[in-house]
Amino acid sequence: MGSGKGMEVTHSVKYLTDQLLIEVYHRAVDLQLDPDFIELLNTEIERRNIRLAQVVSA
């Protein structure tokens, strides 16, 4: 991530609502997007103490 874009994305996910973050995460996994992007989303989910098992049925 030498271009600095990684930092922009990292800061941007902080502005997503919890629900939108979860939706984006599930879509990224379903679409098999870049593993680094999925990990970034997962890190933010963990930072917010969101348990995916709690929201799967939501």
Side-chain angles (χ1 to χ4, degrees):
M1 288 192 219
S3 66
K5 290 190 179 192
M7 287 299 288
E8 291 174 23
V9 173
T10 302
H11 293 297
S12 297
V13 295
K14 292 181 180 181
Y15 296 106
L16 297 176
T17 63
D18 289 355
Q19 185 61 40
L20 188 55
L21 175 61
I22 292 160
E23 289 176 24
V24 169
Y25 173 81
H26 284 294
R27 287 285 292 222
V29 171
D30 289 345
L31 296 171
Q32 299 178 346
L33 297 183
D34 186 281
D36 288 337
F37 179 65
I38 293 171
E39 181 59 29
L40 178 118
L41 296 171
N42 190 51
T43 299
E44 181 63 15
I45 288 168
E46 290 176 356
R47 187 186 72 78
R48 296 184 192 192
N49 295 315
I50 298 170
R51 293 192 180 152
L52 291 174
Q54 293 176 333
V55 294
V56 168
S57 61

